[in-house]
PDB file of all heavy atoms in Angstrom:
ATOM      1  N   MET J  23      22.441 -14.823  -3.396  1.00  0.00           N
ATOM      2  CA  MET J  23      23.334 -15.718  -4.140  1.00  0.00           C
ATOM      3  C   MET J  23      24.647 -15.026  -4.478  1.00  0.00           C
ATOM      4  O   MET J  23      25.714 -15.642  -4.406  1.00  0.00           O
ATOM      5  CB  MET J  23      22.652 -16.208  -5.417  1.00  0.00           C
ATOM      6  CG  MET J  23      21.560 -17.216  -5.153  1.00  0.00           C
ATOM      7  SD  MET J  23      20.868 -17.912  -6.670  1.00  0.00           S
ATOM      8  CE  MET J  23      19.596 -16.700  -7.034  1.00  0.00           C
ATOM      9  N   THR J  24      24.590 -13.743  -4.828  1.00  0.00           N
ATOM     10  CA  THR J  24      25.803 -13.004  -5.162  1.00  0.00           C
ATOM     11  C   THR J  24      26.732 -12.899  -3.962  1.00  0.00           C
ATOM     12  O   THR J  24      27.946 -13.084  -4.076  1.00  0.00           O
ATOM     13  CB  THR J  24      25.443 -11.592  -5.677  1.00  0.00           C
ATOM     14  OG1 THR J  24      24.628 -11.734  -6.839  1.00  0.00           O
ATOM     15  CG2 THR J  24      26.673 -10.800  -6.014  1.00  0.00           C
ATOM     16  N   VAL J  25      26.189 -12.624  -2.808  1.00  0.00           N
ATOM     17  CA  VAL J  25      26.999 -12.476  -1.600  1.00  0.00           C
ATOM     18  C   VAL J  25      27.609 -13.813  -1.179  1.00  0.00           C
ATOM     19  O   VAL J  25      28.738 -13.863  -0.681  1.00  0.00           O
ATOM     20  CB  VAL J  25      26.137 -11.875  -0.464  1.00  0.00           C
ATOM     21  CG1 VAL J  25      26.845 -11.944   0.864  1.00  0.00           C
ATOM     22  CG2 VAL J  25      25.759 -10.453  -0.798  1.00  0.00           C
ATOM     23  N   GLU J  26      26.916 -14.903  -1.391  1.00  0.00           N
ATOM     24  CA  GLU J  26      27.404 -16.209  -0.957  1.00  0.00           C
ATOM     25  C   GLU J  26      28.448 -16.820  -1.877  1.00  0.00           C
ATOM     26  O   GLU J  26      29.144 -17.746  -1.475  1.00  0.00           O
ATOM     27  CB  GLU J  26      26.232 -17.172  -0.806  1.00  0.00           C
ATOM     28  CG  GLU J  26      25.382 -16.861   0.394  1.00  0.00           C
ATOM     29  CD  GLU J  26      24.310 -17.902   0.623  1.00  0.00           C
ATOM     30  OE1 GLU J  26      24.099 -18.760  -0.243  1.00  0.00           O
ATOM     31  OE2 GLU J  26      23.679 -17.845   1.684  1.00  0.00           O
ATOM     32  N   VAL J  27      28.580 -16.326  -3.093  1.00  0.00           N
ATOM     33  CA  VAL J  27      29.528 -16.920  -4.042  1.00  0.00           C
ATOM     34  C   VAL J  27      30.949 -16.992  -3.470  1.00  0.00           C
ATOM     35  O   VAL J  27      31.549 -18.064  -3.435  1.00  0.00           O
ATOM     36  CB  VAL J  27      29.483 -16.181  -5.400  1.00  0.00           C
ATOM     37  CG1 VAL J  27      30.682 -16.535  -6.262  1.00  0.00           C
ATOM     38  CG2 VAL J  27      28.200 -16.517  -6.125  1.00  0.00           C
ATOM     39  N   PRO J  28      31.546 -15.892  -3.002  1.00  0.00           N
ATOM     40  CA  PRO J  28      32.928 -15.982  -2.507  1.00  0.00           C
ATOM     41  C   PRO J  28      33.071 -16.861  -1.261  1.00  0.00           C
ATOM     42  O   PRO J  28      34.027 -17.639  -1.156  1.00  0.00           O
ATOM     43  CB  PRO J  28      33.295 -14.532  -2.175  1.00  0.00           C
ATOM     44  CG  PRO J  28      32.294 -13.690  -2.856  1.00  0.00           C
ATOM     45  CD  PRO J  28      31.066 -14.517  -2.987  1.00  0.00           C
ATOM     46  N   SER J  29      32.137 -16.756  -0.339  1.00  0.00           N
ATOM     47  CA  SER J  29      32.274 -17.507   0.909  1.00  0.00           C
ATOM     48  C   SER J  29      32.117 -19.015   0.692  1.00  0.00           C
ATOM     49  O   SER J  29      32.629 -19.806   1.470  1.00  0.00           O
ATOM     50  CB  SER J  29      31.264 -17.016   1.944  1.00  0.00           C
ATOM     51  OG  SER J  29      29.947 -17.307   1.513  1.00  0.00           O
ATOM     52  N   ARG J  30      31.431 -19.411  -0.353  1.00  0.00           N
ATOM     53  CA  ARG J  30      31.260 -20.836  -0.655  1.00  0.00           C
ATOM     54  C   ARG J  30      32.291 -21.355  -1.640  1.00  0.00           C
ATOM     55  O   ARG J  30      32.298 -22.525  -1.980  1.00  0.00           O
ATOM     56  CB  ARG J  30      29.853 -21.090  -1.172  1.00  0.00           C
ATOM     57  CG  ARG J  30      28.798 -20.826  -0.121  1.00  0.00           C
ATOM     58  CD  ARG J  30      27.427 -21.119  -0.646  1.00  0.00           C
ATOM     59  NE  ARG J  30      26.417 -20.789   0.337  1.00  0.00           N
ATOM     60  CZ  ARG J  30      25.842 -21.679   1.139  1.00  0.00           C
ATOM     61  NH1 ARG J  30      26.178 -22.947   1.071  1.00  0.00           N
ATOM     62  NH2 ARG J  30      24.930 -21.296   2.006  1.00  0.00           N
ATOM     63  N   GLY J  31      33.154 -20.478  -2.131  1.00  0.00           N
ATOM     64  CA  GLY J  31      34.206 -20.892  -3.052  1.00  0.00           C
ATOM     65  C   GLY J  31      33.681 -21.316  -4.415  1.00  0.00           C
ATOM     66  O   GLY J  31      34.297 -22.134  -5.084  1.00  0.00           O
ATOM     67  N   ILE J  32      32.579 -20.755  -4.840  1.00  0.00           N
ATOM     68  CA  ILE J  32      32.001 -21.106  -6.136  1.00  0.00           C
ATOM     69  C   ILE J  32      32.766 -20.359  -7.219  1.00  0.00           C
ATOM     70  O   ILE J  32      32.947 -19.149  -7.160  1.00  0.00           O
ATOM     71  CB  ILE J  32      30.503 -20.739  -6.173  1.00  0.00           C
ATOM     72  CG1 ILE J  32      29.755 -21.525  -5.101  1.00  0.00           C
ATOM     73  CG2 ILE J  32      29.923 -20.997  -7.553  1.00  0.00           C
ATOM     74  CD1 ILE J  32      28.324 -21.107  -4.896  1.00  0.00           C
ATOM     75  N   THR J  33      33.208 -21.089  -8.225  1.00  0.00           N
ATOM     76  CA  THR J  33      34.002 -20.483  -9.295  1.00  0.00           C
ATOM     77  C   THR J  33      33.250 -20.435 -10.627  1.00  0.00           C
ATOM     78  O   THR J  33      33.806 -20.028 -11.630  1.00  0.00           O
ATOM     79  CB  THR J  33      35.314 -21.253  -9.489  1.00  0.00           C
ATOM     80  OG1 THR J  33      35.006 -22.619  -9.787  1.00  0.00           O
ATOM     81  CG2 THR J  33      36.170 -21.188  -8.240  1.00  0.00           C
ATOM     82  N   ASP J  34      32.016 -20.851 -10.629  1.00  0.00           N
ATOM     83  CA  ASP J  34      31.207 -20.835 -11.848  1.00  0.00           C
ATOM     84  C   ASP J  34      31.048 -19.410 -12.355  1.00  0.00           C
ATOM     85  O   ASP J  34      30.572 -18.535 -11.632  1.00  0.00           O
ATOM     86  CB  ASP J  34      29.839 -21.454 -11.524  1.00  0.00           C
ATOM     87  CG  ASP J  34      28.920 -21.530 -12.718  1.00  0.00           C
ATOM     88  OD1 ASP J  34      29.388 -21.310 -13.847  1.00  0.00           O
ATOM     89  OD2 ASP J  34      27.734 -21.840 -12.511  1.00  0.00           O
ATOM     90  N   GLN J  35      31.462 -19.154 -13.595  1.00  0.00           N
ATOM     91  CA  GLN J  35      31.409 -17.800 -14.147  1.00  0.00           C
ATOM     92  C   GLN J  35      29.986 -17.266 -14.233  1.00  0.00           C
ATOM     93  O   GLN J  35      29.759 -16.078 -14.067  1.00  0.00           O
ATOM     94  CB  GLN J  35      32.067 -17.773 -15.533  1.00  0.00           C
ATOM     95  CG  GLN J  35      32.200 -16.391 -16.115  1.00  0.00           C
ATOM     96  CD  GLN J  35      33.053 -15.454 -15.259  1.00  0.00           C
ATOM     97  OE1 GLN J  35      33.966 -15.881 -14.569  1.00  0.00           O
ATOM     98  NE2 GLN J  35      32.740 -14.183 -15.279  1.00  0.00           N
ATOM     99  N   TRP J  36      28.999 -18.128 -14.495  1.00  0.00           N
ATOM    100  CA  TRP J  36      27.621 -17.661 -14.591  1.00  0.00           C
ATOM    101  C   TRP J  36      27.164 -17.040 -13.279  1.00  0.00           C
ATOM    102  O   TRP J  36      26.376 -16.112 -13.284  1.00  0.00           O
ATOM    103  CB  TRP J  36      26.664 -18.796 -14.959  1.00  0.00           C
ATOM    104  CG  TRP J  36      25.275 -18.272 -15.110  1.00  0.00           C
ATOM    105  CD1 TRP J  36      24.717 -17.761 -16.236  1.00  0.00           C
ATOM    106  CD2 TRP J  36      24.276 -18.145 -14.084  1.00  0.00           C
ATOM    107  NE1 TRP J  36      23.432 -17.328 -15.983  1.00  0.00           N
ATOM    108  CE2 TRP J  36      23.141 -17.557 -14.671  1.00  0.00           C
ATOM    109  CE3 TRP J  36      24.231 -18.475 -12.732  1.00  0.00           C
ATOM    110  CZ2 TRP J  36      21.980 -17.302 -13.955  1.00  0.00           C
ATOM    111  CZ3 TRP J  36      23.071 -18.203 -12.028  1.00  0.00           C
ATOM    112  CH2 TRP J  36      21.965 -17.637 -12.633  1.00  0.00           C
ATOM    113  N   ARG J  37      27.670 -17.548 -12.178  1.00  0.00           N
ATOM    114  CA  ARG J  37      27.255 -16.998 -10.877  1.00  0.00           C
ATOM    115  C   ARG J  37      27.590 -15.523 -10.790  1.00  0.00           C
ATOM    116  O   ARG J  37      26.904 -14.761 -10.137  1.00  0.00           O
ATOM    117  CB  ARG J  37      27.931 -17.732  -9.719  1.00  0.00           C
ATOM    118  CG  ARG J  37      27.687 -19.185  -9.675  1.00  0.00           C
ATOM    119  CD  ARG J  37      26.324 -19.482  -9.172  1.00  0.00           C
ATOM    120  NE  ARG J  37      26.169 -20.928  -9.172  1.00  0.00           N
ATOM    121  CZ  ARG J  37      25.230 -21.563  -8.564  1.00  0.00           C
ATOM    122  NH1 ARG J  37      24.333 -20.903  -7.885  1.00  0.00           N
ATOM    123  NH2 ARG J  37      25.142 -22.859  -8.629  1.00  0.00           N
ATOM    124  N   ARG J  38      28.647 -15.122 -11.455  1.00  0.00           N
ATOM    125  CA  ARG J  38      29.017 -13.704 -11.417  1.00  0.00           C
ATOM    126  C   ARG J  38      28.292 -12.922 -12.503  1.00  0.00           C
ATOM    127  O   ARG J  38      27.641 -11.922 -12.225  1.00  0.00           O
ATOM    128  CB  ARG J  38      30.522 -13.565 -11.581  1.00  0.00           C
ATOM    129  CG  ARG J  38      31.267 -14.125 -10.399  1.00  0.00           C
ATOM    130  CD  ARG J  38      32.738 -13.796 -10.457  1.00  0.00           C
ATOM    131  NE  ARG J  38      33.372 -14.358  -9.285  1.00  0.00           N
ATOM    132  CZ  ARG J  38      34.366 -15.209  -9.315  1.00  0.00           C
ATOM    133  NH1 ARG J  38      34.879 -15.586 -10.452  1.00  0.00           N
ATOM    134  NH2 ARG J  38      34.874 -15.689  -8.200  1.00  0.00           N
ATOM    135  N   THR J  39      28.405 -13.365 -13.721  1.00  0.00           N
ATOM    136  CA  THR J  39      27.834 -12.601 -14.828  1.00  0.00           C
ATOM    137  C   THR J  39      26.315 -12.745 -14.902  1.00  0.00           C
ATOM    138  O   THR J  39      25.607 -11.770 -15.122  1.00  0.00           O
ATOM    139  CB  THR J  39      28.458 -13.018 -16.162  1.00  0.00           C
ATOM    140  OG1 THR J  39      28.240 -14.421 -16.375  1.00  0.00           O
ATOM    141  CG2 THR J  39      29.943 -12.721 -16.180  1.00  0.00           C
ATOM    142  N   GLY J  40      25.814 -13.937 -14.736  1.00  0.00           N
ATOM    143  CA  GLY J  40      24.381 -14.181 -14.835  1.00  0.00           C
ATOM    144  C   GLY J  40      23.604 -13.518 -13.719  1.00  0.00           C
ATOM    145  O   GLY J  40      22.572 -12.883 -13.952  1.00  0.00           O
ATOM    146  N   LEU J  41      24.094 -13.661 -12.506  1.00  0.00           N
ATOM    147  CA  LEU J  41      23.404 -13.024 -11.377  1.00  0.00           C
ATOM    148  C   LEU J  41      23.469 -11.506 -11.473  1.00  0.00           C
ATOM    149  O   LEU J  41      22.492 -10.820 -11.165  1.00  0.00           O
ATOM    150  CB  LEU J  41      24.005 -13.494 -10.054  1.00  0.00           C
ATOM    151  CG  LEU J  41      23.661 -14.924  -9.657  1.00  0.00           C
ATOM    152  CD1 LEU J  41      24.478 -15.345  -8.447  1.00  0.00           C
ATOM    153  CD2 LEU J  41      22.181 -15.062  -9.376  1.00  0.00           C
ATOM    154  N   ALA J  42      24.597 -10.985 -11.934  1.00  0.00           N
ATOM    155  CA  ALA J  42      24.714  -9.534 -12.101  1.00  0.00           C
ATOM    156  C   ALA J  42      23.720  -9.043 -13.148  1.00  0.00           C
ATOM    157  O   ALA J  42      23.082  -8.003 -12.966  1.00  0.00           O
ATOM    158  CB  ALA J  42      26.142  -9.165 -12.499  1.00  0.00           C
ATOM    159  N   ARG J  43      23.568  -9.796 -14.225  1.00  0.00           N
ATOM    160  CA  ARG J  43      22.619  -9.412 -15.270  1.00  0.00           C
ATOM    161  C   ARG J  43      21.189  -9.446 -14.746  1.00  0.00           C
ATOM    162  O   ARG J  43      20.410  -8.520 -14.968  1.00  0.00           O
ATOM    163  CB  ARG J  43      22.761 -10.337 -16.478  1.00  0.00           C
ATOM    164  CG  ARG J  43      21.818  -9.984 -17.623  1.00  0.00           C
ATOM    165  CD  ARG J  43      21.947 -10.956 -18.780  1.00  0.00           C
ATOM    166  NE  ARG J  43      21.856 -12.343 -18.394  1.00  0.00           N
ATOM    167  CZ  ARG J  43      20.712 -12.998 -18.131  1.00  0.00           C
ATOM    168  NH1 ARG J  43      19.573 -12.374 -18.202  1.00  0.00           N
ATOM    169  NH2 ARG J  43      20.732 -14.269 -17.810  1.00  0.00           N
ATOM    170  N   LEU J  44      20.828 -10.524 -14.043  1.00  0.00           N
ATOM    171  CA  LEU J  44      19.479 -10.640 -13.500  1.00  0.00           C
ATOM    172  C   LEU J  44      19.179  -9.530 -12.495  1.00  0.00           C
ATOM    173  O   LEU J  44      18.084  -8.958 -12.490  1.00  0.00           O
ATOM    174  CB  LEU J  44      19.295 -12.008 -12.850  1.00  0.00           C
ATOM    175  CG  LEU J  44      19.277 -13.202 -13.800  1.00  0.00           C
ATOM    176  CD1 LEU J  44      19.319 -14.502 -13.003  1.00  0.00           C
ATOM    177  CD2 LEU J  44      18.050 -13.160 -14.683  1.00  0.00           C
ATOM    178  N   LEU J  45      20.156  -9.232 -11.664  1.00  0.00           N
ATOM    179  CA  LEU J  45      19.970  -8.165 -10.678  1.00  0.00           C
ATOM    180  C   LEU J  45      19.816  -6.815 -11.370  1.00  0.00           C
ATOM    181  O   LEU J  45      18.948  -6.021 -11.003  1.00  0.00           O
ATOM    182  CB  LEU J  45      21.145  -8.152  -9.707  1.00  0.00           C
ATOM    183  CG  LEU J  45      21.063  -7.187  -8.542  1.00  0.00           C
ATOM    184  CD1 LEU J  45      19.810  -7.414  -7.734  1.00  0.00           C
ATOM    185  CD2 LEU J  45      22.286  -7.337  -7.657  1.00  0.00           C
ATOM    186  N   ALA J  46      20.618  -6.556 -12.390  1.00  0.00           N
ATOM    187  CA  ALA J  46      20.512  -5.301 -13.140  1.00  0.00           C
ATOM    188  C   ALA J  46      19.156  -5.177 -13.813  1.00  0.00           C
ATOM    189  O   ALA J  46      18.567  -4.083 -13.851  1.00  0.00           O
ATOM    190  CB  ALA J  46      21.632  -5.214 -14.170  1.00  0.00           C
ATOM    191  N   GLU J  47      18.632  -6.287 -14.324  1.00  0.00           N
ATOM    192  CA  GLU J  47      17.306  -6.267 -14.950  1.00  0.00           C
ATOM    193  C   GLU J  47      16.217  -5.922 -13.924  1.00  0.00           C
ATOM    194  O   GLU J  47      15.307  -5.153 -14.218  1.00  0.00           O
ATOM    195  CB  GLU J  47      17.004  -7.611 -15.604  1.00  0.00           C
ATOM    196  CG  GLU J  47      17.808  -7.868 -16.853  1.00  0.00           C
ATOM    197  CD  GLU J  47      17.629  -9.263 -17.386  1.00  0.00           C
ATOM    198  OE1 GLU J  47      16.822 -10.053 -16.841  1.00  0.00           O
ATOM    199  OE2 GLU J  47      18.301  -9.601 -18.376  1.00  0.00           O
ATOM    200  N   GLU J  48      16.331  -6.492 -12.737  1.00  0.00           N
ATOM    201  CA  GLU J  48      15.352  -6.195 -11.693  1.00  0.00           C
ATOM    202  C   GLU J  48      15.429  -4.734 -11.259  1.00  0.00           C
ATOM    203  O   GLU J  48      14.417  -4.086 -11.031  1.00  0.00           O
ATOM    204  CB  GLU J  48      15.559  -7.104 -10.481  1.00  0.00           C
ATOM    205  CG  GLU J  48      15.161  -8.526 -10.722  1.00  0.00           C
ATOM    206  CD  GLU J  48      13.685  -8.699 -11.022  1.00  0.00           C
ATOM    207  OE1 GLU J  48      12.852  -7.888 -10.561  1.00  0.00           O
ATOM    208  OE2 GLU J  48      13.354  -9.648 -11.738  1.00  0.00           O
TER     209      GLU J  48
END
Side-chain angles (χ1 to χ4, degrees):
M23 287 186 273
T24 300
V25 169
E26 288 186 350
V27 165
S29 66
R30 295 182 183 261
I32 299 171
T33 58
D34 182 11
Q35 187 60 30
W36 183 88
R37 302 284 180 166
R38 293 189 179 123
T39 59
L41 287 171
R43 181 182 51 79
L44 291 171
L45 185 56
E47 288 173 4
E48 289 297 332

